[in-house]
Amino acid sequence: MGRLTTHVLDTSAGKPAAGMKIELWRIGDDPMQLKTLATNEDGRADAPLLDGSDFQTGEYELRFHAGDYLIASGVKLPKPAFLDIIPIRFGIADPDAHYHVPLLLSAHGYSTYRGS
């Protein structure tokens, strides 16, 4: 069975991004928010974001609330911050695969990739 997971690493602090709010949306004609969560101490969701019958092919978006996380971590950001909510839109084509969408974050940049 397929599943969707994520984690966030704060590359400027060299540690997992604990306590970051993440929203999961299904994208389509009528976008729908499926889930809201906060990362644990390891920068991960406590459970897969999607699995079982909820894991379906389609377009999705993760919205990482990076600005709030960085401010709570003590990072001084200008107003407006360069990065605030980071949307990552991706497609799930194989309902039997593991899709892992990590975020590597600093106050002035980020990267992502399809992990394993």
Side-chain angles (χ1 to χ4, degrees):
M1 296 286 277
R3 68 189 189 282
L4 171 65
T5 58
T6 189
H7 77 274
V8 185
L9 297 175
D10 182 338
T11 58
S12 59
K15 64 180 186 177
M20 180 183 290
K21 178 180 172 182
I22 301 172
E23 298 173 4
L24 172 64
W25 290 73
R26 183 170 175 94
I27 305 302
D29 292 336
D30 188 20
M32 178 189 320
Q33 185 174 355
L34 301 176
K35 192 172 283 191
T36 300
L37 62 114
T39 55
N40 62 23
E41 292 300 312
D42 197 31
R44 298 178 181 274
D46 288 326
L49 296 144
L50 291 173
D51 63 356
S53 63
D54 292 332
F55 188 79
Q56 301 173 8
T57 60
E59 264 192 281
Y60 294 86
E61 185 172 280
L62 287 168
R63 296 178 185 173
F64 296 88
H65 290 250
D68 291 342
Y69 162 79
L70 291 165
I71 290 168
S73 297
V75 176
K76 301 245 187 264
L77 299 177
K79 293 190 192 256
F82 179 66
L83 295 175
D84 188 14
I85 298 173
I86 299 172
I88 298 176
R89 191 169 288 191
F90 59 96
I92 292 176
D94 182 353
D96 296 319
H98 178 194
Y99 285 76
H100 183 68
V101 183
L103 180 71
L104 306 177
L105 171 71
S106 76
H108 300 288
Y110 67 92
S111 65
T112 190
Y113 54 94
R114 181 175 172 192
S116 57

